[in-house]
Amino acid sequence: SVALSVAGIIFINPLLRFLCATADNYSYAKEYLTIMLTGTAFISINFAGDYILANDNNENLAVAGDMAGAIVNIIIDCVGVLILGQGVWVLGFGTVAGSVCCCLVYLLHFRKKEVKALCKGTHFIFGVNLGNATGKVGITSCHTFHSACNIA
């Protein structure tokens, strides 16, 4: 998702033309999309985190994270637009900040020493490097996941 963010920011003008931005909304679309692309990693973790937590029978934490992120997004949007009179950028910032908040709530799940893998019967014992372990759990293909388990 970091590579996607960088590529999107570099090629933002062709991307906006592909998305049919007009002369009337081009500046707004560019401002919003730039902020959204900057936060793509958190938005991706937010979406994937729901499935990872649900797989580990921790649906309540997944819902709590989503609710916390939505509440942060709503508050930032309302305060930024209605009270402070800011532009479109604050809407994108609210979305990214909500995803960051959601990811922080999801981190509570990984305090445990053992987390289920994406395929039944397989478990990972996390070491010190949480980022590496999170990447392994995030693999969606069961066949690829078992290959990664065998390599590790």
Side-chain angles (χ1 to χ4, degrees):
S1 62
V2 173
L4 182 63
S5 293
V6 171
I9 291 170
I10 291 172
F11 299 107
I12 194 162
N13 292 326
L15 181 59
L16 286 170
R17 283 193 298 275
F18 175 76
L19 295 172
C20 300
T22 65
D24 294 333
N25 65 14
Y26 186 84
S27 63
Y28 299 118
K30 185 173 184 177
E31 188 176 4
Y32 181 79
L33 191 58
T34 301
I35 293 172
M36 292 296 289
L37 286 169
T38 304
T40 299
F42 294 106
I43 294 169
S44 299
I45 293 169
N46 181 4
F47 286 127
D50 285 330
Y51 296 104
I52 293 170
L53 269 61
N55 181 65
D56 287 342
N57 294 322
N58 204 349
E59 295 90 357
N60 291 337
L61 187 61
V63 171
D66 288 338
M67 287 177 54
I71 290 168
V72 166
N73 187 4
I74 290 169
I75 291 171
I76 290 175
D77 289 353
C78 289
V79 170
V81 173
L82 299 177
I83 296 173
L84 300 176
Q86 295 298 307
V88 169
W89 73 270
V90 80
L91 300 174
F93 177 77
T95 302
V96 172
S99 291
V100 169
C101 179
C102 187
C103 293
L104 292 174
V105 172
Y106 288 170
L107 284 177
L108 296 173
H109 175 73
F110 295 102
R111 289 182 306 153
K112 297 187 278 183
K113 295 282 186 205
E114 185 175 329
V115 177
K116 291 181 188 174
L118 292 175
C119 302
K120 281 193 165 193
T122 307
H123 290 75
F124 274 111
I125 307 295
F126 287 164
V128 177
N129 191 348
L130 181 62
N132 193 13
T134 303
K136 289 180 184 175
V137 173
I139 297 172
T140 57
S141 170
C142 195
H143 176 70
T144 305
F145 191 73
H146 278 298
S147 299
C149 292
N150 293 334
I151 292 170

